[in-house]
């Protein structure tokens, strides 16, 4: 690849010492970036070996036709590449940014397995879809024929939105109910802007609105409207609420000020990036600036927290995790990025409590070692006696994962059966719950999982709902 565009890109970036000059040079900067990105995308796409067994495709939850759209990209046929990508993925520009490609497609690339470095599939996917938006190739859905049936979707996250898109393609009338003031779910309020720029999410929601999807926001099902009322308004209902109940952490001092939930911390940061007034952020309670931050957890949410704290100007950021790096559930690429940004990972450590009078000032840390494997096959952490110490902290963020809300109780619908984990029990082929005409997808079925899995579930459920509606029409016509 020619090096000149990259050289221009770096030189231009270095010549932006203040905001005004940056604005003056923005147009040239963007042009140079696009030129470099185009060459880089074609170079990476051309590295695809078009192997006989495309492990990248089989390890993608959506089974995206990756080798073929890489080939189209390599030959400059970007519109065809985008159309092929969009055919199997409702939101390729989002997956290209936030999918853990190191655990999915890129991690199973044949070139990567042979030791020559993976094809950067996610970056190419992002590039071709961003190009599609710039060129106006992404248009609102225009169904061939409008249908009279309607579907109500509870939850405007990736699963619900993917289903809405597919149902509108078939001409079904779709209404999406969501508790927040903006659609997008965790894509809007959970994932930080440095990983998923909010205009990227908002433009997709605007496209869905232009396609005829109706959004009822600031609507808390069970309070503002009953679940039975939604069922009565629609021919079928899809539950895509996600999981929002944070796992908690007890111990001495657990009620001190300055100990926060990850979802509250990330939501405040994202609202602030929208320009919203966020009292807890403005007061400093959920702002990491100049603070010693300790994050507890080992998943991708913990990674989002530590990297957000770095960007907010924390004086130090440490992550406590009870296992070692190899046994961490979060993306290894995210760990590497966080380390490069200055996060200190303290492996084999667990909190036993917190110190402070009214405000937290430290975490009681227990050192651990790995013992025999537990039921999941991972080596279980064991306490090392007498190795405790205090880790100073001004802000502690608990990123221990999420659990489902008790929907049958909240919605006064005991016949909506759930598993022992509280997730909705449904047929894993049709996604229908125990209630006829009520389907469920995403984290509320799987437990906390990936956006790409929610998209797959939403697309599958939409197809099953179309079959259900067709059967209902056939019965009504008899």
């Amino acid at each position: 690849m020619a090096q000149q565009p990259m050289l221009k890109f770096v030189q231009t970036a270095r010549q932006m010492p203040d905001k005004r000059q940056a604005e003056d040079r923005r147009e040239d900067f963007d042009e140079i970036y696009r030129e470099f990105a185009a060459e880089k995308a074609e170079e990476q796409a051309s590295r695809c070996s078009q192997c006989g067994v495309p492990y990248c495709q089989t390890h993608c939850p959506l089974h995206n036709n990756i080798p073929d759209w890489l080939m189209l990209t390599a030959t400059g046929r970007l519109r065809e590449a985008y159309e092929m990508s969009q055919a199997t993925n409702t939101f390729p520009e989002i997956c290209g940014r936030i999918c853990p490609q190191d655990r999915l497609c890129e991690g199973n690339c044949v070139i990567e397995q042979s030791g020559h470095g993976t094809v950067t599939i996610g970056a190419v996917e992002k590039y071709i879809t961003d190009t599609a938006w710039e060129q106006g190739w992404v248009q609102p859905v225009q169904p061939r024929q409008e249908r009279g049936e309607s579907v109500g979707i509870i939850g405007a996250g990736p699963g619900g939105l993917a289903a809405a898109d597919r149902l509108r393609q078939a001409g079904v009338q779709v209404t999406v109910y969501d508790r927040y003031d903006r659609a997008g779910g965790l894509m809007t309020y959970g994932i930080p802007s440095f990983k998923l720029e909010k205009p990227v999410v908002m433009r997709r929601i605007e496209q869905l609105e232009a396609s005829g999807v109706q959004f009822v926001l600031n609507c808390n099902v069970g309070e503002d409207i009953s679940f039975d009322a939604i069922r009565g308004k629609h021919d079928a209902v899809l539950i895509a609420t996600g999981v929002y109940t944070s796992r908690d952490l007890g111990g001495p001092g657990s009620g001190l000020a300055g100990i926060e939930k990850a979802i509250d911390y990330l939501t405040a940061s994202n609202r602030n990036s929208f320009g919203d007034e966020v009292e807890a952020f403005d007061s400093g309670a959920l702002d990491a600036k100049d603070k010693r931050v300790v994050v507890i957890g080992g998943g991708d949410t913990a990674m989002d927290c530590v990297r957000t704290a770095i960007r907010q100007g924390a004086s130090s950021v440490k992550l406590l995790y009870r296992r070692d790096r190899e046994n961490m559930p979060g993306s290894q690429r995210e760990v590497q990025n966080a380390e490069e940004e200055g996060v200190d990972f303290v492996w084999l450590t667990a909190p036993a409590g917190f110190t402070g009078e009214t405000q937290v000032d430290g975490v009681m840390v227990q050192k651990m070692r790995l013992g025999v494997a537990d039921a999941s096959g991972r080596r279980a952490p064991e306490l090392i006696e007498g190795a405790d110490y205090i880790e100073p902290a001004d802000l502690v963020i608990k990123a221990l994962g999420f659990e489902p809300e008790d929907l049958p109780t909240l919605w006064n619908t005991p016949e909506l059966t759930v598993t022992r984990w509280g997730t909705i029990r449904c047929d894993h082929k049709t996604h229908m719950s125990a209630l006829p005409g009520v389907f469920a997808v995403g984290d509320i079925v799987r437990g906390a999982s990936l956006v790409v899995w929610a998209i797959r579930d939403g697309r599958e459920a939409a197809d099953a709902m179309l079959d259900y509606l067709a059967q209902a029409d056939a019965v009504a016509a008899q």
Side-chain angles (χ1 to χ4, degrees):
M1 183 191 73
Q3 295 299 311
Q4 193 63 24
M6 181 60 176
L7 179 60
K8 287 181 183 178
F9 177 77
V10 174
Q11 288 175 338
T12 303
R14 288 175 176 170
Q15 292 170 359
M16 292 185 173
D18 58 44
K19 183 176 181 180
R20 185 175 65 183
Q21 288 181 339
E23 290 298 325
D24 291 342
R25 298 170 185 264
R26 177 59 56 190
E27 187 173 334
D28 290 341
F29 183 83
D30 288 344
E31 182 178 351
I32 293 168
Y33 175 78
R34 283 194 295 271
E35 182 182 353
F36 166 67
E39 290 198 17
K40 190 68 176 175
E42 290 186 12
E43 174 207 345
Q44 279 296 310
S46 67
R47 294 182 63 233
C48 177
S49 65
Q50 297 290 309
C51 53
V53 184
Y55 292 110
C56 60
Q57 183 174 355
T58 58
H59 283 82
C60 170
L62 292 164
H63 301 308
N64 287 326
N65 197 347
I66 296 168
D68 284 353
W69 56 251
L70 284 175
M71 180 183 66
L72 291 168
T73 302
T75 55
R77 297 158 64 184
L78 293 183
R79 183 160 191 168
E80 294 172 76
Y82 162 72
E83 290 171 352
M84 182 171 289
S85 173
Q86 181 78 41
T88 54
N89 186 354
T90 311
F91 311 124
E93 73 278 16
I94 291 172
C95 289
R97 285 169 163 82
I98 64 173
C99 265
Q101 288 96 1
D102 57 325
R103 303 203 309 256
L104 300 173
C105 55
E106 293 180 14
N108 292 279
C109 172
V110 169
I111 294 176
E112 166 73 7
Q113 298 298 323
S114 64
H116 296 288
T118 186
V119 176
T120 56
I121 296 167
V124 175
E125 183 177 40
K126 170 181 175 294
Y127 167 72
I128 62 176
T129 316
D130 285 353
T131 300
W133 281 97
E134 291 172 5
Q135 297 297 321
W137 302 337
V138 185
Q139 293 295 320
V141 170
Q142 295 181 335
R144 293 181 180 179
Q145 183 177 359
E146 294 289 350
R147 296 170 54 164
E149 305 101 325
S150 72
V151 168
I153 297 176
I154 305 173
L161 296 181
D165 177 82
R166 204 154 178 85
L167 290 166
R168 280 302 297 144
Q169 290 179 30
V172 174
Q173 310 309 306
V174 178
T175 302
V176 179
Y177 304 85
D178 196 86
R179 72 183 72 186
Y180 290 108
D181 57 341
R182 295 181 179 92
L186 287 177
M187 296 187 299
T188 298
Y189 287 129
I191 300 172
S193 297
F194 60 82
K195 286 175 62 176
L196 178 57
E197 309 95 308
K198 300 314 164 188
V200 171
V201 181
M202 294 300 108
R203 72 184 178 190
R204 184 59 84 169
I205 292 166
E206 290 168 2
Q207 184 234 4
L208 289 170
E209 286 183 306
S211 300
V213 177
Q214 295 185 355
F215 288 90
V216 181
L217 303 176
N218 291 310
C219 179
N220 201 335
V221 177
E223 295 181 7
D224 301 309
I225 186 172
S226 69
F227 180 66
D228 285 342
I230 291 177
R231 289 189 72 190
K233 288 167 63 72
H234 302 284
D235 299 295
V237 174
L238 177 68
I239 302 172
T241 54
V243 290
Y244 281 90
T245 302
S246 299
R247 293 190 183 122
D248 211 346
L249 187 67
S254 58
L256 291 169
I259 303 173
E260 306 289 350
K261 298 175 182 177
I263 188 65
D264 295 339
Y265 175 68
L266 293 173
T267 299
S269 177
N270 280 310
R271 283 195 176 279
N272 182 66
S273 72
F274 276 112
D276 295 352
E277 289 187 12
V278 185
E279 182 179 351
F281 184 88
D282 295 339
S283 69
L286 294 176
D287 184 358
K289 183 175 175 58
D290 298 329
K291 293 180 180 178
R292 298 167 298 180
V293 177
V294 173
V295 176
I296 302 167
D300 289 334
T301 299
M303 297 299 98
D304 291 344
C305 290
V306 294
R307 298 184 68 195
T308 296
I310 287 287
R311 284 159 175 76
Q312 290 179 347
S315 61
S316 67
V317 181
K318 294 188 176 183
L319 182 137
L320 307 182
Y321 182 57
R322 60 180 182 162
R323 291 184 169 93
D324 58 9
R325 182 174 188 146
E326 288 69 30
N327 285 278
M328 187 175 186
S331 167
Q332 290 297 317
R333 182 178 295 175
E334 285 283 290
V335 174
Q336 181 180 345
N337 290 338
E339 286 178 330
E340 290 172 353
E341 292 167 2
V343 175
D344 183 9
F345 287 79
V346 189
W347 307 111
L348 294 167
T349 55
F354 307 91
T355 61
E357 294 186 6
T358 58
Q359 170 74 34
V360 69
D361 60 24
V363 181
M364 304 174 192
V365 179
Q366 297 176 318
K367 289 194 174 182
M368 316 292 286
R369 58 171 169 255
L370 293 181
V372 298
D374 60 17
S376 68
R378 298 164 70 198
R379 295 174 64 192
E382 299 175 346
L383 175 65
I384 300 176
E385 297 290 347
D388 300 0
Y389 69 97
I390 302 295
E391 181 66 59
D394 305 306
L395 173 62
V396 177
I397 302 171
K398 300 176 291 185
L400 303 168
F402 302 97
E403 295 176 342
E405 298 166 291
D406 183 2
L407 295 185
T409 299
L410 290 174
W411 293 352
N412 192 28
T413 313
E415 61 271 28
L416 181 65
T417 59
V418 297
T419 68
R420 62 189 178 94
W421 298 281
T423 53
I424 293 177
R425 189 184 300 277
C426 66
D427 184 294
H428 290 286
K429 290 184 179 180
T430 66
H431 298 273
M432 188 185 290
S433 73
L435 296 175
V438 176
F439 300 74
V441 298
D443 290 0
I444 195 59
V445 176
R446 294 179 175 272
S449 187
L450 302 174
V451 165
V452 66
W453 280 109
I455 294 172
R456 171 174 168 167
D457 289 352
R459 291 170 65 91
E460 288 180 349
D463 291 343
M465 295 174 91
L466 291 173
D467 290 341
Y468 171 82
L469 294 172
Q471 292 172 12
D473 290 344
V475 170
Q478 291 178 354

